[in-house]
CSV table of all heavy atoms in Angstrom, one decimal:
chain,number,residue,atom,x,y,z
A,1,GLY,N,114.3,84.5,82.1
A,1,GLY,CA,113.9,83.1,82.2
A,1,GLY,C,114.5,82.3,83.3
A,1,GLY,O,114.3,81.1,83.3
A,2,ASP,N,115.3,82.8,84.1
A,2,ASP,CA,115.9,82.1,85.2
A,2,ASP,C,115.1,82.4,86.5
A,2,ASP,O,115.1,83.5,87.0
A,2,ASP,CB,117.3,82.7,85.5
A,2,ASP,CG,118.1,82.0,86.6
A,2,ASP,OD1,117.5,81.1,87.2
A,2,ASP,OD2,119.3,82.3,86.8
A,3,PHE,N,114.4,81.3,87.0
A,3,PHE,CA,113.6,81.4,88.1
A,3,PHE,C,114.2,80.7,89.4
A,3,PHE,O,113.5,80.5,90.4
A,3,PHE,CB,112.3,80.8,87.9
A,3,PHE,CG,111.6,81.4,86.6
A,3,PHE,CD1,111.6,80.7,85.4
A,3,PHE,CD2,110.8,82.6,86.7
A,3,PHE,CE1,111.0,81.2,84.2
A,3,PHE,CE2,110.2,83.0,85.7
A,3,PHE,CZ,110.4,82.4,84.4
A,4,SER,N,115.5,80.4,89.4
A,4,SER,CA,116.1,79.6,90.3
A,4,SER,C,116.2,80.3,91.7
A,4,SER,O,116.0,79.6,92.7
A,4,SER,CB,117.5,79.2,89.9
A,4,SER,OG,118.4,80.3,89.7
A,5,GLU,N,116.3,81.6,91.7
A,5,GLU,CA,116.4,82.3,93.1
A,5,GLU,C,115.1,82.8,93.5
A,5,GLU,O,115.0,83.4,94.6
A,5,GLU,CB,117.4,83.4,92.9
A,5,GLU,CG,118.9,82.9,92.7
A,5,GLU,CD,119.8,84.2,92.8
A,5,GLU,OE1,120.1,84.5,94.0
A,5,GLU,OE2,120.3,84.6,91.8
A,6,LEU,N,114.0,82.6,92.8
A,6,LEU,CA,112.7,83.1,93.2
A,6,LEU,C,112.3,82.6,94.6
A,6,LEU,O,111.8,83.3,95.4
A,6,LEU,CB,111.6,82.8,92.2
A,6,LEU,CG,110.2,83.4,92.5
A,6,LEU,CD1,110.3,84.9,92.6
A,6,LEU,CD2,109.3,83.0,91.3
A,7,PRO,N,112.4,81.2,94.9
A,7,PRO,CA,112.0,80.7,96.2
A,7,PRO,C,112.8,81.4,97.3
A,7,PRO,O,112.2,81.7,98.4
A,7,PRO,CB,112.4,79.2,96.1
A,7,PRO,CG,112.3,78.9,94.7
A,7,PRO,CD,112.8,80.1,94.0
A,8,GLU,N,114.1,81.6,97.1
A,8,GLU,CA,114.9,82.3,98.2
A,8,GLU,C,114.5,83.7,98.4
A,8,GLU,O,114.3,84.2,99.5
A,8,GLU,CB,116.4,82.2,97.8
A,8,GLU,CG,117.3,82.9,98.9
A,8,GLU,CD,118.8,82.7,98.6
A,8,GLU,OE1,119.1,82.2,97.5
A,8,GLU,OE2,119.6,83.2,99.4
A,9,LEU,N,114.2,84.4,97.2
A,9,LEU,CA,113.8,85.8,97.4
A,9,LEU,C,112.4,85.9,98.1
A,9,LEU,O,112.2,86.7,99.0
A,9,LEU,CB,113.6,86.5,96.0
A,9,LEU,CG,113.0,87.9,95.9
A,9,LEU,CD1,113.8,88.9,96.6
A,9,LEU,CD2,112.8,88.3,94.5
A,10,HIS,N,111.5,84.9,97.7
A,10,HIS,CA,110.2,84.9,98.5
A,10,HIS,C,110.4,84.7,100.0
A,10,HIS,O,109.7,85.4,100.8
A,10,HIS,CB,109.4,83.7,97.9
A,10,HIS,CG,108.0,83.7,98.4
A,10,HIS,ND1,107.7,82.8,99.5
A,10,HIS,CD2,106.8,84.3,98.0
A,10,HIS,CE1,106.4,83.0,99.8
A,10,HIS,NE2,105.9,83.8,98.9
A,11,ALA,N,111.3,83.7,100.3
A,11,ALA,CA,111.4,83.4,101.7
A,11,ALA,C,112.1,84.6,102.5
A,11,ALA,O,111.7,84.9,103.6
A,11,ALA,CB,112.3,82.2,101.8
A,12,LEU,N,113.2,85.2,101.8
A,12,LEU,CA,113.8,86.2,102.5
A,12,LEU,C,113.0,87.4,102.7
A,12,LEU,O,113.0,88.1,103.7
A,12,LEU,CB,115.1,86.6,101.7
A,12,LEU,CG,116.1,87.6,102.3
A,12,LEU,CD1,116.6,87.1,103.6
A,12,LEU,CD2,117.2,87.9,101.2
A,13,SER,N,112.3,87.8,101.7
A,13,SER,CA,111.4,89.0,101.8
A,13,SER,C,110.3,88.8,102.8
A,13,SER,O,109.9,89.7,103.5
A,13,SER,CB,110.8,89.3,100.4
A,13,SER,OG,109.9,88.3,99.9
A,14,ALA,N,109.8,87.6,102.8
A,14,ALA,CA,108.7,87.4,103.8
A,14,ALA,C,109.2,87.4,105.2
A,14,ALA,O,108.6,88.1,106.1
A,14,ALA,CB,108.1,85.9,103.6
A,15,GLY,N,110.4,86.8,105.5
A,15,GLY,CA,110.9,86.8,106.8
A,15,GLY,C,111.4,88.1,107.2
A,15,GLY,O,111.1,88.7,108.4
A,16,LEU,N,112.1,88.9,106.4
A,16,LEU,CA,112.7,90.2,106.8
A,16,LEU,C,111.6,91.2,106.9
A,16,LEU,O,111.6,92.1,107.7
A,16,LEU,CB,113.7,90.7,105.7
A,16,LEU,CG,115.1,89.9,105.8
A,16,LEU,CD1,116.0,90.5,104.7
A,16,LEU,CD2,115.7,90.2,107.2
A,17,LYS,N,110.5,91.1,106.1
A,17,LYS,CA,109.4,91.9,106.3
A,17,LYS,C,108.8,91.8,107.7
A,17,LYS,O,108.5,92.8,108.3
A,17,LYS,CB,108.3,91.6,105.2
A,17,LYS,CG,107.0,92.5,105.3
A,17,LYS,CD,105.9,91.8,106.1
A,17,LYS,CE,104.7,92.6,106.1
A,17,LYS,NZ,103.6,92.1,107.0
A,18,ALA,N,108.6,90.6,108.1
A,18,ALA,CA,108.0,90.3,109.4
A,18,ALA,C,109.0,90.8,110.5
A,18,ALA,O,108.6,91.5,111.5
A,18,ALA,CB,107.7,88.8,109.6
A,19,PHE,N,110.2,90.4,110.3
A,19,PHE,CA,111.3,90.7,111.4
A,19,PHE,C,111.4,92.2,111.6
A,19,PHE,O,111.4,92.7,112.7
A,19,PHE,CB,112.7,90.1,111.0
A,19,PHE,CG,113.7,90.3,112.0
A,19,PHE,CD1,113.7,89.5,113.1
A,19,PHE,CD2,114.7,91.3,111.8
A,19,PHE,CE1,114.8,89.8,114.0
A,19,PHE,CE2,115.6,91.6,112.7
A,19,PHE,CZ,115.7,90.7,113.8
A,20,THR,N,111.5,92.9,110.5
A,20,THR,CA,111.9,94.4,110.6
A,20,THR,C,110.5,95.2,111.1
A,20,THR,O,110.7,96.1,111.8
A,20,THR,CB,112.3,94.9,109.3
A,20,THR,OG1,111.3,94.7,108.2
A,20,THR,CG2,113.7,94.3,108.9
A,21,THR,N,109.3,94.8,110.6
A,21,THR,CA,108.1,95.4,111.0
A,21,THR,C,107.8,95.2,112.5
A,21,THR,O,107.3,96.1,113.1
A,21,THR,CB,106.9,95.2,110.0
A,21,THR,OG1,106.7,93.7,110.1
A,21,THR,CG2,107.3,95.6,108.6
A,22,TRP,N,107.9,94.0,113.0
A,22,TRP,CA,107.7,93.7,114.3
A,22,TRP,C,108.6,94.6,115.2
A,22,TRP,O,108.2,95.2,116.2
A,22,TRP,CB,107.9,92.3,114.7
A,22,TRP,CG,106.7,91.5,114.7
A,22,TRP,CD1,105.4,91.8,114.9
A,22,TRP,CD2,106.7,90.0,114.5
A,22,TRP,NE1,104.6,90.8,114.9
A,22,TRP,CE2,105.2,89.6,114.6
A,22,TRP,CE3,107.6,89.0,114.2
A,22,TRP,CZ2,104.8,88.3,114.4
A,22,TRP,CZ3,107.1,87.7,114.0
A,22,TRP,CH2,105.8,87.3,114.2
A,23,ALA,N,110.0,94.6,114.9
A,23,ALA,CA,110.9,95.3,115.7
A,23,ALA,C,110.6,96.9,115.6
A,23,ALA,O,110.8,97.4,116.6
A,23,ALA,CB,112.2,95.0,115.2
A,24,ALA,N,110.4,97.3,114.4
A,24,ALA,CA,110.2,98.8,114.2
A,24,ALA,C,109.0,99.3,114.9
A,24,ALA,O,108.9,100.3,115.5
A,24,ALA,CB,110.2,99.1,112.7
A,25,SER,N,107.9,98.5,114.8
A,25,SER,CA,106.6,98.9,115.4
A,25,SER,C,106.8,98.9,116.8
A,25,SER,O,106.4,100.0,117.6
A,25,SER,CB,105.5,97.9,115.0
A,25,SER,OG,104.3,98.2,115.6
A,26,THR,N,107.5,98.0,117.5
A,26,THR,CA,107.8,98.0,118.9
A,26,THR,C,108.6,99.3,119.3
A,26,THR,O,108.5,99.9,120.2
A,26,THR,CB,108.4,96.7,119.4
A,26,THR,OG1,107.5,95.7,119.1
A,26,THR,CG2,108.7,96.8,120.9
A,27,GLY,N,109.7,99.4,118.5
A,27,GLY,CA,110.6,100.5,118.7
A,27,GLY,C,110.0,101.9,118.6
A,27,GLY,O,110.3,102.8,119.3
A,28,ILE,N,109.1,102.2,117.6
A,28,ILE,CA,108.4,103.4,117.5
A,28,ILE,C,107.7,103.7,118.8
A,28,ILE,O,107.7,104.9,119.3
A,28,ILE,CB,107.4,103.4,116.4
A,28,ILE,CG1,108.2,103.3,115.1
A,28,ILE,CG2,106.5,104.7,116.4
A,28,ILE,CD1,107.4,103.0,113.8
A,29,GLU,N,107.0,102.8,119.4
A,29,GLU,CA,106.2,103.0,120.6
A,29,GLU,C,107.2,103.3,121.8
A,29,GLU,O,106.9,104.1,122.7
A,29,GLU,CB,105.4,101.8,120.9
A,29,GLU,CG,104.6,101.8,122.2
A,29,GLU,CD,103.5,102.9,122.3
A,29,GLU,OE1,103.4,103.7,121.3
A,29,GLU,OE2,102.8,103.0,123.2
A,30,VAL,N,108.4,102.6,121.8
A,30,VAL,CA,109.3,102.8,122.8
A,30,VAL,C,109.8,104.3,122.8
A,30,VAL,O,109.9,105.0,123.7
A,30,VAL,CB,110.5,101.8,122.7
A,30,VAL,CG1,111.6,102.3,123.7
A,30,VAL,CG2,110.1,100.5,123.2
A,31,CYS,N,110.0,104.8,121.5
A,31,CYS,CA,110.5,106.1,121.3
A,31,CYS,C,109.4,107.2,121.9
A,31,CYS,O,109.7,108.1,122.5
A,31,CYS,CB,110.7,106.4,119.8
A,31,CYS,SG,112.2,105.7,119.2
A,32,ARG,N,108.1,106.8,121.5
A,32,ARG,CA,107.0,107.6,121.9
A,32,ARG,C,107.0,107.7,123.5
A,32,ARG,O,106.9,108.8,124.1
A,32,ARG,CB,105.7,107.2,121.4
A,32,ARG,CG,104.6,108.1,121.8
A,32,ARG,CD,103.2,107.4,121.5
A,32,ARG,NE,103.0,106.3,122.5
A,32,ARG,CZ,102.5,106.5,123.8
A,32,ARG,NH1,102.4,107.7,124.3
A,32,ARG,NH2,102.3,105.4,124.5
A,33,MET,N,107.1,106.5,124.2
A,33,MET,CA,107.1,106.5,125.6
A,33,MET,C,108.2,107.2,126.2
A,33,MET,O,108.2,107.7,127.3
A,33,MET,CB,106.8,105.1,126.1
A,33,MET,CG,105.5,104.5,125.9
A,33,MET,SD,105.1,103.0,126.6
A,33,MET,CE,106.4,101.9,125.7
A,34,SER,N,109.4,107.2,125.5
A,34,SER,CA,110.6,107.7,126.1
A,34,SER,C,110.5,109.3,126.1
A,34,SER,O,111.3,110.0,126.7
A,34,SER,CB,111.9,107.3,125.2
A,34,SER,OG,111.8,108.0,124.0
A,35,CYS,N,109.5,109.8,125.4
A,35,CYS,CA,109.3,111.3,125.4
A,35,CYS,C,108.2,111.7,126.4
A,35,CYS,O,107.9,112.9,126.4
A,35,CYS,CB,108.8,111.8,124.0
A,35,CYS,SG,110.0,111.6,122.7
A,36,GLY,N,108.0,110.8,127.3
A,36,GLY,CA,107.0,111.2,128.4
A,36,GLY,C,105.6,111.6,127.8
A,36,GLY,O,105.2,111.2,126.8
A,37,GLY,N,105.0,112.4,128.6
A,37,GLY,CA,103.7,112.9,128.3
A,37,GLY,C,103.6,113.6,126.9
A,37,GLY,O,102.6,113.4,126.2
A,38,HIS,N,104.6,114.4,126.6
A,38,HIS,CA,104.5,115.1,125.3
A,38,HIS,C,104.6,114.2,124.1
A,38,HIS,O,104.1,114.5,123.0
A,38,HIS,CB,105.7,116.1,125.1
A,38,HIS,CG,105.6,117.2,126.2
A,38,HIS,ND1,104.4,117.9,126.5
A,38,HIS,CD2,106.6,117.9,126.9
A,38,HIS,CE1,104.6,118.7,127.4
A,38,HIS,NE2,105.9,118.9,127.5
A,39,GLY,N,105.1,112.9,124.3
A,39,GLY,CA,105.0,112.0,123.2
A,39,GLY,C,103.7,111.5,122.8
A,39,GLY,O,103.5,111.0,121.7
A,40,TYR,N,102.7,111.7,123.7
A,40,TYR,CA,101.3,111.4,123.5
A,40,TYR,C,100.7,112.4,122.7
A,40,TYR,O,99.7,112.0,122.0
A,40,TYR,CB,100.6,111.2,124.9
A,40,TYR,CG,99.3,110.6,124.8
A,40,TYR,CD1,99.0,109.2,124.4
A,40,TYR,CD2,98.1,111.4,125.2
A,40,TYR,CE1,97.7,108.7,124.4
A,40,TYR,CE2,96.9,110.9,125.1
A,40,TYR,CZ,96.6,109.5,124.7
A,40,TYR,OH,95.4,109.0,124.6
A,41,SER,N,101.2,113.5,122.6
A,41,SER,CA,100.6,114.6,121.8
A,41,SER,C,100.9,114.4,120.3
A,41,SER,O,102.0,114.0,119.9
A,41,SER,CB,101.1,116.0,122.2
A,41,SER,OG,100.7,117.0,121.3
A,42,CYS,N,99.8,114.7,119.5
A,42,CYS,CA,100.1,114.5,118.1
A,42,CYS,C,101.1,115.5,117.5
A,42,CYS,O,101.7,115.4,116.5
A,42,CYS,CB,98.8,114.9,117.2
A,42,CYS,SG,97.6,113.5,117.4
A,43,SER,N,101.4,116.6,118.4
A,43,SER,CA,102.5,117.6,118.0
A,43,SER,C,103.9,116.8,117.8
A,43,SER,O,104.7,117.3,117.2
A,43,SER,CB,102.7,118.6,119.0
A,43,SER,OG,103.0,118.2,120.3
A,44,SER,N,104.0,115.7,118.6
A,44,SER,CA,105.2,115.0,118.5
A,44,SER,C,105.5,114.3,117.3
A,44,SER,O,106.6,113.9,116.9
A,44,SER,CB,105.4,114.0,119.7
A,44,SER,OG,104.6,112.9,119.4
A,45,ALA,N,104.4,114.0,116.5
A,45,ALA,CA,104.4,113.2,115.2
A,45,ALA,C,104.5,111.7,115.5
A,45,ALA,O,104.3,110.9,114.6
A,45,ALA,CB,105.5,113.7,114.3
A,46,LEU,N,104.9,111.4,116.8
A,46,LEU,CA,105.1,109.9,117.0
A,46,LEU,C,103.8,109.1,117.0
A,46,LEU,O,103.8,108.0,116.5
A,46,LEU,CB,105.8,109.7,118.4
A,46,LEU,CG,107.3,110.2,118.3
A,46,LEU,CD1,107.8,110.3,119.8
A,46,LEU,CD2,108.1,109.2,117.6
A,47,PRO,N,102.7,109.6,117.5
A,47,PRO,CA,101.4,108.8,117.3
A,47,PRO,C,101.1,108.6,115.8
A,47,PRO,O,100.6,107.5,115.4
A,47,PRO,CB,100.4,109.7,118.0
A,47,PRO,CG,101.1,110.5,119.0
A,47,PRO,CD,102.5,110.8,118.3
């Protein structure tokens, strides 16, 4: 019955969801490009 921290959880989960997914999505692509041409192949698993 204690809802006092719900607004903070909502704000923190929203912000960190955005922050981490933006950064990770960009980072995955950097990893792929750092593998050169072979990173473009599905064999790399990076795509």
Side-chain angles (χ1 to χ4, degrees):
D2 180 2
F3 305 99
S4 59
E5 291 191 78
L6 185 57
E8 182 177 359
L9 175 62
H10 182 269
L12 186 63
S13 64
L16 287 177
K17 179 267 181 186
F19 182 80
T20 58
T21 56
W22 263 336
S25 181
T26 300
I28 294 165
E29 177 65 356
V30 170
C31 288
R32 185 192 68 78
M33 290 191 291
S34 73
C35 292
H38 292 323
Y40 188 67
S41 169
C42 288
S43 65
S44 73
L46 290 166

